[in-house]
């Protein structure tokens, strides 16, 4: 098995990386950062997001394993003090995996005849810096509304607990191959109207934004942002590609949501 270790720059993550590297060498794993079968990330969800984009062209051959050096993350199942168990799991690997849907973002810029494509694990947002963002929103090719406000966020099911949740979006189980649109600061009054609710879009539908003129829109894809180009159209679809995680242990999705946002400590419970 060929393994890559992808750690963030924090001292703690670098120390865990060094320890893990030694264990892999002792057990004769092949360390291969270019063509790995398994990518072990060390850090948090942000590190996993960076690793995902680093290995974006190899998603069919790569499975990810997330080790967290801080709080339990949404993509990181292993604590840094559990790396011995992780090494044992990797040694008895039976190629089991769990996969999640991704978001395909296809952008037509005014300055290029070719569409540019991006892949998001969490979400993509469109915002405008200098003025109200105005964009027509189409669902399945049909005009749905003209949006005015700060921006819009289109998220994957696993991204539904990230930015989308801060915007009042629903938490979506990742077995559902759907996309969600959430508004960022929409303007609603007697003149301008949007739905003002998050929307969950069916698997075969696609979402299109056709923004008004201006080159000060900001397009984000997970942690990346793209500025200063006039956007004619953005199309969002559930991608045919998926992300695969090695399934040595599996935290039940709603348990993970509970752990992250509510807490499971008994002292948090009050008698009814
Ligand atoms: P980061 O590492 O500081 O991440 C920000 C926070 O988002 C962290 O606490 C991380 O654990 C959490 N997070 C990331 N993915 C998550 C997921 N799928 N479910 C639940 N929590 C998740 O910053 P970064 O590395 O640049 O991460 C980029 C992400 O930050 C974006 O994809 C976006 O989802 C999130 N973000 C959130 C807000 C917000 O909530 N207002 C604003 C901007 C970006």
């Amino acid at each position: 098995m060929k393994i890559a270790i992808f750690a963030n720059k924090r001292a703690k993550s670098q120390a865990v990386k060094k320890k893990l590297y030694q264990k892999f060498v002792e057990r004769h794993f092949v360390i291969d950062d270019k063509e790995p079968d398994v990518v072990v990330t060390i850090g948090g969800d942000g590190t996993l997001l960076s690793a995902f984009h680093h290995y974006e062209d190899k998603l069919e051959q790569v499975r990810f394993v997330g080790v967290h050096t801080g709080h339990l993350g949404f993509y990181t199942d292993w604590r840094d003090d559990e790396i011995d168990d992780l090494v044992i799991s990797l040694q008895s690997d039976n190629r089991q995996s769990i996969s999640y849907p991704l978001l395909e973002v296809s952008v037509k810029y005014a300055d290029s005849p070719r569409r540019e494509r991006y892949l998001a694990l969490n979400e993509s947002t469109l915002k405008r810096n200098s003025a109200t963002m105005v964009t027509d929103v189409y669902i399945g090719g049909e005009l749905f509304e003209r949006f005015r406000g700060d921006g819009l966020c289109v998220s994957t099911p696993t991204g539904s607990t990230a930015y989308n949740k801060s915007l009042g979006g629903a938490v979506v189980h990742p077995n559902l191959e759907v996309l969600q649109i959430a508004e960022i600061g929409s303007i609603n009054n007697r003149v301008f109207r949007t739905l003002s609710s998050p929307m969950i879009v069916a698997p075969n539908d696609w979402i299109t934004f056709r923004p008004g003129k201006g080159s000060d829109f900001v397009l984000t894809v997970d942690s990346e942002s793209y500025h200063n180009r006039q956007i004619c159209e953005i199309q969002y679809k559930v991608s045919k590609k998926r992300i695969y995680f090695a399934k040595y242990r599996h935290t039940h999705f709603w348990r993970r949501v509970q752990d992250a946002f509510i807490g499971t400590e008994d002292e948090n419970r009050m008698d009814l």
Side-chain angles (χ1 to χ4, degrees):
M1 180 191 286
K2 292 181 289 177
I3 299 194
I5 310 176
F6 192 102
N8 67 21
K9 291 207 163 61
R10 286 178 50 217
K12 188 168 181 193
S13 303
Q14 288 297 320
V16 175
K17 177 179 177 174
K18 200 171 159 197
K19 232 159 96 181
L20 196 56
Y21 184 89
Q22 273 163 2
K23 288 184 192 290
F24 284 152
V25 170
E26 280 161 21
R27 286 168 180 76
H28 308 294
F29 284 101
V30 177
I31 305 290
D32 185 340
D33 288 342
K34 292 224 158 63
E35 298 289 336
D37 302 308
V38 171
V39 175
V40 180
T41 70
I42 304 169
D45 288 326
T47 314
L48 190 291
L49 282 174
S50 303
F52 163 76
H53 288 289
H54 188 84
Y55 291 102
E56 204 179 303
D57 297 335
K58 302 187 191 308
L59 291 182
E60 271 144 43
Q61 73 194 53
V62 164
R63 287 173 298 148
F64 291 88
V65 175
V67 177
H68 61 91
T69 46
H71 302 288
L72 173 77
F74 265 79
Y75 299 114
T76 54
D77 278 328
W78 297 79
R79 289 200 314 262
D80 53 16
D81 58 2
E82 294 176 315
I83 57 172
D84 286 327
D85 294 346
L86 173 59
V87 172
I88 291 166
S89 298
L90 283 161
Q91 274 184 310
S92 51
D93 178 65
N94 56 7
R95 298 203 55 80
Q96 271 205 322
S97 63
I98 183 158
S99 72
Y100 299 128
L102 299 169
L103 170 67
E104 183 187 302
V105 185
S106 155
V107 187
K108 167 108 194 50
Y109 290 103
D111 59 11
S112 165
R114 285 186 40 231
R115 284 179 168 270
E116 286 180 35
R117 288 172 205 284
Y118 311 95
L119 209 53
L121 174 54
N122 269 351
E123 78 286 290
S124 168
T125 67
L126 183 66
K127 300 181 202 170
R128 193 173 182 191
N129 276 337
S130 64
T132 301
M133 183 181 97
V134 184
T135 185
D136 284 339
V137 177
Y138 296 74
I139 300 176
E142 301 281 333
L143 179 63
F144 180 75
E145 65 181 12
R146 176 160 289 181
F147 175 91
R148 282 183 171 81
D150 288 349
L152 287 163
C153 170
V154 181
S155 59
T156 63
T158 53
S160 68
T161 46
Y163 198 176
N164 169 73
K165 188 171 180 300
S166 306
L167 300 170
V171 173
V172 176
H173 194 287
N175 283 358
L176 300 171
E177 279 214 334
V178 293
L179 300 180
Q180 181 166 188
I181 313 178
E183 297 183 347
I184 310 172
S186 63
I187 299 175
N188 270 284
N189 52 37
R190 284 163 65 99
V191 185
F192 304 129
R193 197 140 308 133
T194 66
L195 184 66
S196 299
S197 303
M199 280 183 275
I200 294 179
V201 177
N204 297 327
D205 259 341
W206 66 100
I207 299 160
T208 312
F209 296 162
R210 289 203 186 118
K213 284 210 165 42
S215 54
D216 57 345
F217 287 85
V218 180
L219 173 72
T220 72
V221 178
D222 297 334
S223 326
E224 292 296 320
S225 43
Y226 304 89
H227 304 254
N228 302 331
R229 286 176 78 183
Q230 193 178 319
I231 295 168
C232 301
E233 182 183 285
I234 311 177
Q235 232 175 58
Y236 294 105
K237 282 183 191 163
V238 178
S239 173
K240 291 193 174 74
K241 297 180 183 172
R242 294 174 71 90
I243 182 170
Y244 292 84
F245 286 84
K247 195 182 168 189
Y248 303 133
R249 56 163 60 163
H250 181 54
T251 312
H252 186 264
F253 177 71
W254 295 113
R255 168 70 65 199
R256 195 187 292 269
V257 172
Q258 184 193 34
D259 275 359
F261 297 110
I262 298 173
T264 50
E265 298 293 319
D266 282 346
E267 57 261 31
N268 287 349
R269 304 271 174 271
M270 284 188 294
D271 289 336
L272 287 175

